[in-house]
Amino acid sequence: MGRLHTAVTADQDWFAKRLLSWFDQHGRKNLPWHLDRTPYRVWVSEVMLQQTQVSTVVPYFERFMARFPTVHELAAASDDEVMKHWAGLGYYARARNLHACAKQVSQEHEGIFPDTVEALQALPGIGRSTAGAIVAQALGKRAVILDGNVKRVLARYRMIAGWTGTAAVQKELWRLAEELTPASRTADYTQAIMDLGSMVCRRSNPACGDCPVRSGCHARQAGLTGQYPGKKPRKSLPEREIHLLLCYPLHEPHRILLEKRPPSGIWGGLWSLPQCEPVHVPSDIITAEYGHKVVSIKETGGILHRFTHFQLRIRPLWVQLQPHETGVRDSSLQWCDRSRVGDYGMPKPVRQLVKHFFDSLE
Ligand code: SF4
């Protein structure tokens, strides 16, 4: 038998009541994932909303649900199809885990998501907060969530010092989240506290005057809302440099060569451009690796793209080729016509480079 969570404290009661009555008047109730709240839909929306704003997620979620209306359809789709529907949302490990999880739920659970936080957390890519959201919002049972918005509200409400990425701060925030989550209306409560974080208790300039729990908020009373939660300690990111090779056949600049990235690592499973390290001679690589003869190479403006752990300085090269038929040697390499570019799931900076190239033809 599961343990009882917490005794109802006066603060919990007050906090939940204030938050829920604010939610009844101001909360968001008509986002696409609020309608027909199945575990599948709540799960997909929660994964998309990690590190991504609601307004960005809405069209992605709608396209995703139109193409993969059930977990079985998602499980049966090709990697390519899933990545294509994720391309542009970033943090691509999320999409790979989503697909792996769909396969597991479809094959091992007959398409039915487990109904406890613990069992959900055993699935690929489902963390404690996502599991809590599925149980609370789709199954209507009491469960606790702690996403980025909730962390900010709670860190300010009780002035919990330190960066929320550290284990000690996370532990304290989970303890407080447990304490404040009520036993009833948990689906609404979890939505309410996320909405409060994104609509009122914003990262900068929180609208404390509109906040339903302002009279109990420690950071507001101390005039220190700007200092909570604590900032991530800054460290300069290491930088890597690569050439992305935009290769096109002589006299046929409407066709370019695309190469699929390996399934893991940066941009894993997405379509990109052939690449080479700056220490290598691009024409040698193109002939040795791809079997084409280089006619000319032109260097164009670079891009600095930031990943979580490093920055990538991309130096694009436009490469005119004398193509050799054996050059496209396997299914991870494809000639892509300008009219078909939209069919390929590509990371944002690559799509930007491809667009810039085709625009230059006009
Ligand atoms: Fe956030 Fe201000 Fe409300 Fe405190 S009073 S929870 S800082 S919006």
Side-chain angles (χ1 to χ4, degrees):
M1 198 172 86
R3 71 182 174 83
L4 280 175
H5 286 276
T6 56
V8 177
T9 64
D11 197 24
Q12 177 206 65
D13 205 29
W14 180 85
F15 188 90
K17 271 194 185 135
R18 303 278 308 189
L19 192 56
L20 284 165
S21 73
W22 172 83
F23 175 74
D24 290 338
Q25 279 189 45
H26 305 286
R28 291 184 282 206
K29 302 170 195 85
N30 292 312
L31 290 169
W33 46 90
H34 295 157
L35 316 169
D36 189 16
R37 280 192 180 185
T38 62
Y40 174 64
R41 289 169 62 86
V42 170
W43 166 61
V44 172
S45 69
E46 283 295 316
V47 175
M48 285 187 170
L49 287 164
Q50 290 160 12
Q51 288 120 344
T52 312
Q53 289 185 344
V54 168
S55 55
T56 307
V57 166
V58 168
Y60 276 91
F61 181 83
E62 286 179 331
R63 281 195 296 269
F64 204 87
M65 284 299 145
R67 170 62 188 83
F68 313 112
T70 68
V71 72
H72 292 302
E73 275 147 300
L74 178 55
S78 67
D79 292 350
D80 240 13
E81 188 71 357
V82 176
M83 296 314 283
K84 184 179 141 189
H85 282 77
W86 200 274
L89 270 180
Y91 300 96
Y92 296 100
R94 292 185 296 173
R96 293 193 290 273
N97 279 329
L98 197 82
H99 199 199
C101 181
K103 288 179 186 170
Q104 207 164 313
V105 172
S106 175
Q107 288 156 16
E108 296 172 21
H109 301 270
E110 296 175 350
I112 298 167
F113 280 80
D115 62 359
T116 65
V117 168
E118 293 75 17
L120 284 163
Q121 273 185 266
L123 293 168
I126 298 194
R128 188 171 165 189
S129 186
T130 302
I134 295 170
V135 171
Q137 301 199 342
L139 306 175
K141 298 199 282 184
R142 183 187 184 276
V144 179
I145 63 157
L146 188 66
D147 73 351
N149 283 316
V150 181
K151 285 178 186 169
R152 188 166 59 254
V153 172
L154 297 185
R156 287 172 175 166
Y157 185 68
R158 284 280 178 85
M159 280 175 67
I160 295 171
W163 175 48
T164 58
T166 62
V169 175
Q170 297 237 10
K171 192 171 166 201
E172 183 59 16
L173 289 169
W174 272 110
R175 195 199 54 70
L176 182 57
E178 278 279 357
E179 180 191 318
L180 294 177
T181 302
S184 59
R185 289 194 70 190
T186 318
D188 286 345
Y189 173 87
T190 50
Q191 186 61 49
I193 194 162
M194 286 192 280
D195 284 357
L196 187 76
S198 69
M199 296 162 67
V200 178
C201 195
R202 298 178 299 246
R203 203 178 301 268
S204 44
N205 298 323
C208 298
D210 299 332
C211 178
V213 296
R214 61 185 179 276
S215 63
C217 177
H218 293 202
R220 180 174 188 255
Q221 282 161 13
L224 293 173
T225 54
Q227 291 185 29
Y228 293 85
K231 302 255 180 309
K232 183 179 181 178
R234 278 190 88 75
K235 61 173 189 212
S236 58
L237 292 176
E239 192 174 306
R240 279 177 49 196
E241 189 173 286
I242 54 162
H243 285 304
L244 285 185
L245 309 171
L246 203 143
C247 300
Y248 61 97
L250 186 64
H251 310 309
E252 291 182 85
H254 59 277
R255 286 203 301 151
I256 58 168
L257 193 59
L258 294 183
E259 182 164 27
K260 196 173 186 186
R261 302 280 310 156
S264 56
I266 63 164
W267 300 335
L270 289 175
W271 287 91
S272 181
L273 297 166
Q275 65 184 58
C276 80
E277 303 289 330
V279 290
H280 294 130
V281 179
S283 53
D284 290 353
I285 296 286
I286 291 164
T287 307
E289 297 274 323
Y290 305 101
H292 301 299
K293 190 162 170 271
V294 172
V295 177
S296 69
I297 294 187
K298 180 177 160 193
E299 180 148 9
T300 65
I303 294 180
L304 190 63
H305 186 70
R306 200 181 160 95
F307 290 93
T308 324
H309 301 296
F310 68 99
Q311 321 193 71
L312 187 65
R313 186 169 294 282
I314 300 170
R315 291 173 53 199
L317 299 176
W318 291 359
V319 184
Q320 198 178 38
L321 300 173
Q322 185 73 59
H324 188 275
E325 270 320 304
T326 57
V328 172
R329 64 190 188 289
D330 61 45
S331 60
S332 69
L333 276 174
Q334 286 189 15
W335 284 110
C336 164
D337 194 84
R338 180 179 188 172
S339 61
R340 304 271 326 270
V341 166
D343 296 349
Y344 291 81
M346 291 179 197
K348 249 188 199 161
V350 174
R351 190 168 293 286
Q352 203 179 323
L353 293 176
V354 169
K355 181 175 183 308
H356 175 56
F357 172 73
F358 283 133
D359 287 352
S360 77
L361 303 176
E362 286 164 3

